């Protein structure tokens, strides 16, 4: 049995980002770019007005009453094509190109206009109310470095730079295989009392899709070794095969052997943690195989600690071992045993005065407890008892 840190190092430590692919910029949220993004144009491409007003030559206004003749107009997308001469001005609007011969915009509130003549007492301020060419970025300038995590704000920058597509690391394909003869689909019309609804599969699917993975289901193989092997074959094109259940040592736990029959090179089995001790990890050629325990809390905790960081790593994102933030515990916690314990807990108290309150029951089969909680308190191996108010690591989810 290995530690959580050792298991994380084996699962995530040696993983490398997948191959690259080109995606439309609007579809790049959550992805990591695999090469620098350079601007195809300057932004703005010419000097633009930042206000509605009049474009002037700053040398012609001295802070005293000055009269200038309006000889044209410049609007956004419709620039003035001539040259502004001495004693002249151009009516200009926000976002419009500043015409040649002008270097300042006098806002309309500081102007008195009669017919085609304006009067102003504005002082000379070259570049005032003018956005200079390249103020945001210049042509060929690198605006996003390789390895940048794409979010809506960086997608906007890439698009402004004239990039309609981006080279990103490929999103991993995850195949989820449920096991256990007791499982029933949530849409079943009538449930037998001995059945358990397969709630882990949709739970995992939602978590993986939320971070950008492509999820497919390869069915439920029950507790049949033959059906397991058929399902494992059906998932051969997945980057990660996730099995749920059958990872322990019971007479009906056939998953590990079926995987080995289909080429699994086992890296480890069993981690010194609770919930989640019977965790399988290995590879089938280039495919990662993660065998999760069947109980919902066990599978959920293992997915947070190992599966989600593995997906992050394959997508080129930072993937540290979740270690949490320190928060005071609302109640005393008993001394811990030889396995690292992840206690489901709620956040209580007002902002700035948050405490974490461990759930009364830590039964790993209870979905109600998991749904009502906000994260996990980490109790290290052999940790001494913690008094109420003591700081404990807390992983929010």
């Amino acid at each position: 049995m290995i530690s959580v840190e050792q298991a994380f190092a084996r699962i995530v430590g040696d993983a490398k980002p997948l191959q690259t692919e080109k995606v439309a910029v609007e579809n790049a949220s959550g992805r990591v770019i695999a090469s620098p993004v350079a601007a195809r144009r300057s932004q703005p491409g010419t000097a633009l007005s930042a206000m509605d007003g009049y474009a002037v030559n700053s040398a012609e206004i001295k802070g005293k009453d000055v009269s200038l003749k309006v000889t044209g107009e410049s609007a956004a997308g419709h620039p003035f094509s001539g040259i502004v001469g001495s004693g002249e001005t151009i009516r200009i609007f926000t976002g419009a190109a500043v015409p040649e011969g002008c270097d300042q915009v006098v806002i309309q509130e500081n102007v008195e206009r009669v017919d085609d003549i304006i009067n102003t007492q504005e002082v000379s301020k070259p570049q005032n109310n003018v956005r200079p060419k390249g103020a945001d970025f210049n042509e060929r300038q690198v605006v996003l470095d390789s390895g940048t995590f794409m979010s809506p704000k960086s997608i906007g920058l890439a698009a402004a730079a004239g990039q309609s597509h981006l080279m990103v690391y490929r999103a991993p394909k995850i195949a989820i295989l449920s096991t256990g003869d007791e499982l029933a689909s949530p849409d079943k019309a009538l449930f037998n009392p001995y059945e358990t609804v397969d709630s882990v599969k949709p739970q995992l699917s939602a978590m993986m899709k939320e971070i950008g993975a492509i999820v497919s289901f390869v069915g439920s193989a029950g507790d049949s070794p033959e059906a397991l092997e058929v399902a494992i074959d059906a998932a051969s094109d997945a980057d990660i095969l996730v099995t749920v259940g059958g990872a322990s040592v019971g007479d009906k736990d056939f998953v590990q052997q079926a995987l080995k029959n289909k080429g699994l090179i086992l890296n480890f089995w069993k981690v010194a943690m609770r919930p989640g001790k019977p965790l399988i990890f290995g590879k089938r050629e280039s495919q990662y195989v993660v065998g999760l325990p069947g109980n919902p809390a066990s599978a959920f905790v293992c997915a947070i600690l190992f599966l989600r960081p593995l997906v992050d790593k394959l997508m080129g994102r930072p993937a540290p071992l979740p270690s949490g933030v320190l928060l005071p515990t609302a109640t005393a916690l008993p001394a811990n045993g030889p396995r690292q314990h992840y206690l489901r807990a709620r956040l209580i108290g007002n902002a700035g005065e948050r405490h974490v309150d461990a759930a009364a029951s830590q039964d790993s089969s209870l979905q109600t407890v998991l749904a009502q909680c906000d994260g996990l308190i980490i109790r290290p191996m052999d940790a001494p008892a913690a008094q109420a108010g003591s700081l404990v690591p807390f992983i929010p989810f």
Side-chain angles (χ1 to χ4, degrees), residues 304-353:
I304 285 179
L305 294 179
F306 307 116
L307 186 56
R308 192 161 64 182
L310 176 59
V311 171
D312 284 335
K313 191 71 175 288
L314 295 180
M315 294 184 73
R317 299 191 292 246
L321 173 64
S323 56
V325 295
L326 293 176
L327 289 174
T329 175
T331 59
L333 300 173
N336 193 32
R339 287 190 282 156
Q340 189 147 296
H341 197 180
Y342 292 87
L343 298 166
R344 281 147 287 160
R346 296 180 300 116
L347 281 168
I348 59 174
N350 298 321
E353 301 177 347

Side-chain angles (χ1 to χ4, degrees), residues 54-63 66 68 88 101-106 122-128:
Y54 294 85
V56 301
N57 181 341
S58 62
E60 295 193 329
I61 57 174
K62 305 294 184 181
V66 173
L68 300 170
E88 295 179 341
C102 297
D103 64 348
Q104 181 175 342
V105 172
V106 180
E122 187 79 358
V123 298
S124 176
K125 294 180 181 178
Q127 302 304 313
N128 193 38

Side-chain angles (χ1 to χ4, degrees), residues 53-308:
Y54 294 85
V56 301
N57 181 341
S58 62
E60 295 193 329
I61 57 174
K62 305 294 184 181
K64 58 184 179 180
D65 196 28
V66 173
S67 295
L68 300 170
K69 183 179 181 180
V70 181
T71 59
E73 180 179 283
S74 182
H78 301 280
F80 176 74
S81 58
I83 298 174
V84 181
S86 178
E88 295 179 341
T89 185
I90 292 295
R91 176 68 166 132
I92 197 166
F93 299 96
T94 302
V98 177
E100 187 176 347
C102 297
D103 64 348
Q104 181 175 342
V105 172
V106 180
I107 63 173
Q108 59 191 19
E109 291 86 349
N110 293 343
V111 167
E112 290 184 359
R113 180 172 176 173
V114 178
D115 296 328
D116 289 336
I117 301 297
I118 68 164
N119 292 285
T120 182
Q121 294 185 353
E122 187 79 358
V123 298
S124 176
K125 294 180 181 178
Q127 302 304 313
N128 193 38
N129 298 319
V130 173
R131 296 169 179 153
K133 177 183 178 179
D136 202 356
F137 50 80
N138 288 299
E139 185 178 356
R140 297 188 179 87
Q141 178 183 335
V142 173
V143 294
L144 293 169
D145 293 323
S146 178
T148 297
F149 175 81
M150 296 302 294
S151 63
K153 62 183 180 180
S154 48
I155 285 173
L157 174 55
Q163 300 291 349
S164 64
H165 289 75
L166 299 173
M167 193 65 71
V168 299
Y169 292 110
R170 181 170 63 78
K173 299 175 183 177
I174 299 179
I176 300 177
L177 168 60
S178 297
T179 71
D181 287 342
E182 75 282 7
L183 295 182
S185 174
D187 62 0
K188 189 174 180 182
L190 294 172
F191 299 106
N192 293 308
Y194 54 81
E195 292 178 322
T196 299
V197 174
D198 185 0
S199 60
V200 175
K201 184 166 64 178
Q203 187 166 272
L204 288 175
S205 175
M207 183 190 295
M208 295 301 103
K209 288 179 178 178
E210 192 174 71
I211 58 173
I214 301 167
V215 179
S216 64
F217 301 133
V218 286
S220 177
D223 290 318
S224 161
E226 295 78 18
L228 278 167
E229 292 185 16
V230 170
I232 291 167
D233 280 339
S236 294
D237 65 340
D239 300 295
I240 306 173
L241 169 60
V242 178
T243 63
V244 181
S248 193
V249 291
D251 291 341
K252 296 292 185 179
D253 293 327
F254 302 121
V255 172
Q256 187 175 149
Q257 188 56 54
L259 288 167
K260 287 179 177 178
N261 292 346
K262 288 299 177 178
L264 174 72
I265 304 300
L266 182 66
N267 189 299
F268 69 82
W269 170 57
K270 291 185 184 179
V271 182
M273 60 181 287
R274 58 175 176 153
K277 175 184 172 182
L279 178 71
I280 296 170
F281 176 68
K283 294 189 77 173
R284 298 173 63 227
E285 298 182 348
S286 62
Q287 183 183 72
Y288 297 86
V289 178
V290 180
L292 299 176
N295 276 325
S298 303
F300 189 84
V301 170
C302 289
I304 285 179
L305 294 179
F306 307 116
L307 186 56
R308 192 161 64 182

